[in-house]
Amino acid sequence: MTKRIELMSIIKREKIVKLLSETELNRSVLVKGWVRTIRNSKKFSFIELNDGSTISNIQIIADHEVLSVDILKELSTGACIGIQGMLVPSEGKNQKVEIQASTIEVYGLADPESYPLQKKGHTLEFLREIAHLRVRTNTFGAIFRIRHGMAFAIHQFFHQKGFFYVHTPIITGSDTEGAGELFLVTTLPIHNPPKDEKGNINFKEDFFGKQTHLTVSGQLNGELAALGLAEIYTFGPTFRAEKSNTPRHLAEFWMIEPEMAFYDLNDNINLAEELLKYLTQYALNHHQKDLEFLNEHYDKELIARLESIVQTPFVRLSYTNAIEILLNSGKKFEFPVAWGVDLQSEHERYLVEEHFNKPVILTDYPKDIKAFYMKLNDDEKTVRAMDVLFPKIGEIIGGSQREEDYAKLLKRIRELNLPEEEYWWYLDTRKFGTAPHSGFGLGFERLMLFVTGMSNVRDVIPFPRTTKNAEF
Ligand code: 4AD
Ligand code: MG
C-alpha cells in the first residue's frame, strides 16, 4: 500500500477534459474522480470515471491480473478513486483514448444500497431534495460549469469595455426598489427588543444604530460610484423576502448591475442588448458539450434559440404601444389589460413568444408602477424605464435612465412618502455635479434559465433559497 501511494504522489493529477483531447499518448497518467459506472467481466473491469472537468467520462480498463479483484468488486457508482495508468488509443467507438490501469487508490466507497444516485433518471424535483449530491449528475455538472462560464464572461465583457467592478454592501439601510420585501438584519433580542417612547422597537440600540436589512439591489451605491468612476458594475447576491413561489423567483439571487454616467436610455438599451448577445455567444463558443447534453435531454430547441438570439435585433417598443397590441390581440388574459396596469408574465410572454417571436425591450412605463429613481418623461405620466423580455422567461432585465434633477427627484420621494432623511446622500449626488446616467439589473438566474433551457430557477443555482427552503 505505501509503495502505491509513493508512486501516485510522484506524478501530477491531470484533468479528464484535457486527457480526452490529448495527442501525446502512451504515457503514464494519474486521474482522480467519481465512478459513474463499473462493469466487471471475467478478466477485466471497465470503469467510467468523471472528475467534474467535463461532462464526458474517461474509460478505465482494469486487468484483474494487475489490480486486485477484491478492491474492484467493492467499487460501485459514486465511489471516489484515483487511477494511475497508461493513456492509450481506445479501440471502442465512443472514445478516442482510455487508461489501462496500473494502480488504484480508493478514497471513498458509496454503498449501492443507500447511495441516492445509484440509479439514473431521477426527477429534477427529487434532485432538489438532495442538492448536496446533485452536482455529481451530468445535468448539474453541465449547469454549474455554464454558470461559472457566464460569471467569468460577465467580468470579461465589462472589463474589456473599461467598466470598473464595484463591491456594493450586502447590509443596507435603504430599500432601493421600495417594494418592502426586506430581510431584517438585527442583533436585538427578538423576544424582548428595546422600545422607544411610542412603543416601537428602538433600532437606535441595534448594532448599526439604525434599522438595516439585506440589500435588494446594489443600484443606489452603484450610482454613487458611477458619478465618479463613470462606468461601473456590481455583481453580487441580492435578497428579497418575496413569498411568490414561482419557477422564476428566489429569495437570494445574483444580480449584475451596470451603472453609467453620460448614458441615456437608448445607450442603456444598446448595452443591455450587447451584453445578452455576448453572453449567449460565449456559452455557444465555450460550453458546446454541456449545451448539447441539455439540448438533448431538456430542451430540443435550446441551441437553435441561443443561435437565433445572437443574430436577431431585439424589438424596441413603448409600454403604451405594447398595451395597444395586447388589447388588439383578441386573447383572453387572466389579468385584464389596461393602460396603467403592471404587465403580468402572461402578457410579456404573449408579446415575446406569440406576437413578435423575439426578445422585446419595453420602455416608458407609467411612473406609478416603477421605482422612485426613474427619470420622468415630459408627459409627466411615464418614466424612462426599460424591461428586457425574453422567450420562456419574461423579464430578464429591468433598468432605466435615472432622475438626475434634484428638485424632481425630491418631489418624487415626497410623493411616495419615502423617508427623505434616509436618502440624503443619494440626493447629494444630484446637488453636486449631477450628470445624466443610466443603468440596469440583469438577474443572473434568469440569464441561466435562458442559457441552459431549464425551467426552474431552483435548478440553476447550487443551493436555492426560497420560502421554507434553506436546507443546504
Ligand atoms: O427589475 P428589478 O427589481 O430591478 C432592480 O432591482 C433595479 N435596481 C436594477 C437596476 O436598475 N440596477 O430586478 C432586476 C432583475 C429582474 O429583471 C430579474 O431578472 C431579476 O433581477 N430578479 C429576480 N431574479 C430571481 N428572483 C427574484 N426574486 C428576482 N427579482 C428580480
Ligand atoms: Mg423589474
Side-chain angles (χ1 to χ4, degrees):
M1 193 68 180
T2 39
K3 185 144 177 261
R4 218 158 40 215
I5 290 170
E6 268 168 30
L7 243 181
M8 285 207 163
S9 57
I10 52 174
I11 72 169
K12 229 178 133 196
R13 174 175 86 91
E14 290 181 72
K15 294 206 178 180
I16 291 172
V17 66
K18 181 169 161 268
L19 295 182
L20 288 177
S21 57
E22 184 64 73
T23 48
E24 202 191 307
L25 301 183
N26 302 309
R27 62 185 180 90
S28 185
V29 296
L30 171 61
V31 290
K32 296 180 181 181
W34 292 267
V35 173
R36 280 299 165 79
T37 59
I38 175 161
R39 187 163 56 82
N40 297 309
S41 74
K42 251 199 186 141
K43 290 185 173 165
F44 297 96
S45 295
F46 301 89
I47 300 169
E48 291 284 327
L49 196 72
N50 188 283
D51 69 355
S53 62
T54 167
I55 197 151
S56 308
N57 306 322
I58 199 159
Q59 173 157 284
I60 288 153
I61 311 219
D63 186 333
H64 294 173
E65 284 181 11
V66 180
L67 292 192
S68 144
V69 183
D70 293 343
I71 292 183
L72 290 166
K73 286 221 160 123
E74 275 193 328
L75 299 181
S76 56
T77 300
C80 186
I81 59 172
I83 292 279
Q84 193 186 329
M86 194 60 79
L87 185 69
V88 296
S90 170
E91 274 156 31
K93 49 183 175 334
N94 294 327
Q95 66 274 330
K96 280 199 218 121
V97 298
E98 62 196 25
I99 298 174
Q100 284 169 355
S102 50
T103 27
I104 182 167
E105 217 174 1
V106 179
Y107 305 116
L109 296 174
D111 176 12
E113 295 295 312
S114 52
Y115 181 53
L117 294 171
Q118 174 63 27
K119 288 199 208 73
K120 280 185 162 181
H122 292 300
T123 63
L124 293 170
E125 287 79 6
F126 173 74
L127 292 171
R128 270 174 226 148
E129 290 167 19
I130 52 162
H132 59 306
L133 297 172
R134 68 177 180 171
V135 66
R136 300 189 197 181
T137 62
N138 283 335
T139 299
F140 287 93
I143 291 169
F144 298 141
R145 277 187 296 273
I146 296 172
R147 190 175 163 111
H148 162 79
M150 289 296 93
F152 176 77
I154 284 160
H155 289 298
Q156 184 164 314
F157 175 84
F158 286 115
H159 177 74
Q160 282 171 0
K161 287 188 164 294
F163 281 56
F164 299 109
Y165 179 28
V166 170
H167 296 107
T168 51
I170 305 286
I171 300 174
T172 70
S174 50
D175 177 7
T176 310
E177 294 307 297
E181 294 156 335
L182 307 171
F183 286 104
L184 191 64
V185 174
T186 181
T187 54
L188 293 178
I190 55 169
H191 297 297
N192 187 21
K195 301 277 174 69
D196 62 15
E197 319 79 66
K198 288 188 199 145
N200 297 322
I201 294 177
N202 187 1
F203 285 101
K204 287 204 177 99
E205 288 186 30
D206 205 348
F207 189 91
F208 296 105
K210 63 181 289 189
Q211 193 175 335
T212 55
H213 50 261
L214 296 178
T215 185
V216 296
S217 157
Q219 178 193 326
L220 299 192
N221 295 89
E223 283 187 55
L224 308 184
L227 293 169
L229 291 166
E231 289 170 322
I232 64 95
Y233 68 106
T234 75
F235 181 5
T238 45
F239 307 86
R240 295 190 189 178
E242 277 181 300
K243 289 239 168 90
S244 45
N245 195 13
T246 80
R248 281 185 285 277
H249 289 86
L250 290 162
E252 176 178 296
F253 64 99
W254 288 65
M255 194 164 22
I256 298 97
E257 296 182 273
E259 193 70 36
M260 299 76 62
F262 319 119
Y263 274 50
D264 66 13
L265 186 66
N266 213 35
D267 302 323
N268 202 24
I269 293 174
N270 290 341
L271 183 74
E273 183 166 342
E274 192 186 340
L275 172 65
L276 290 167
K277 287 181 167 163
Y278 180 91
L279 297 175
T280 307
Q281 187 64 58
Y282 186 95
L284 288 165
N285 291 352
H286 297 268
H287 294 277
Q288 194 192 344
K289 277 196 164 181
D290 289 329
L291 290 177
E292 278 167 6
F293 175 87
L294 296 169
N295 195 85
E296 189 185 329
H297 291 92
Y298 293 98
D299 180 349
K300 296 267 189 273
E301 277 139 42
L302 173 62
I303 293 178
R305 193 180 317 111
L306 297 182
E307 281 168 350
S308 103
I309 291 285
V310 177
Q311 282 144 21
T312 316
F314 299 177
V315 175
R316 299 172 183 205
L317 187 76
S318 73
Y319 167 93
T320 303
N321 287 340
I323 291 290
E324 241 166 67
I325 291 173
L326 292 168
L327 287 173
N328 293 332
S329 69
K331 269 204 89 120
K332 256 209 152 345
F333 295 108
E334 191 190 332
F335 294 88
V337 177
W339 197 94
V341 302
D342 205 355
L343 294 185
Q344 302 294 323
S345 97
E346 56 171 341
H347 308 134
E348 296 175 343
R349 296 185 66 165
Y350 172 79
L351 292 169
V352 176
E353 289 163 26
E354 294 182 48
H355 189 82
F356 289 108
N357 204 19
K358 53 181 126 163
V360 177
I361 306 182
L362 288 189
T363 62
D364 303 288
Y365 283 73
K367 67 173 180 184
D368 294 333
I369 57 170
K370 289 293 181 188
F372 75 96
Y373 50 72
M374 296 192 182
K375 186 176 171 65
L376 196 60
N377 277 317
D378 292 340
D379 64 11
E380 302 211 346
K381 286 195 308 211
T382 58
V383 285
R384 299 297 276 156
M386 62 175 243
D387 274 9
V388 182
L389 312 180
F390 255 37
K392 281 190 71 185
I393 290 161
E395 181 191 334
I396 192 165
I397 280 180
S400 73
Q401 186 166 343
R402 317 307 188 188
E403 183 57 78
E404 85 267 22
D405 182 288
Y406 178 79
K408 286 186 188 164
L409 184 62
L410 186 61
K411 184 164 167 246
R412 194 70 189 128
I413 285 177
R414 288 182 178 161
E415 267 171 18
L416 292 169
N417 273 324
L418 295 173
E420 190 179 322
E421 61 292 348
E422 298 276 330
Y423 292 97
W424 67 270
W425 43 270
Y426 188 69
L427 285 159
D428 253 13
T429 58
R430 274 66 172 173
K431 260 199 239 164
F432 308 119
T434 191
H437 64 287
S438 302
F440 61 81
L442 165 62
F444 193 44
E445 286 71 25
R446 303 260 174 106
L447 170 77
M448 282 297 299
L449 286 183
F450 173 68
V451 172
T452 60
M454 303 303 287
S455 42
N456 194 315
V457 275
R458 292 166 180 78
D459 297 328
V460 295
I461 186 166
F463 306 106
R465 296 286 175 263
T466 52
T467 42
K468 306 274 185 281
N469 178 24
E471 182 70 20
F472 304 96

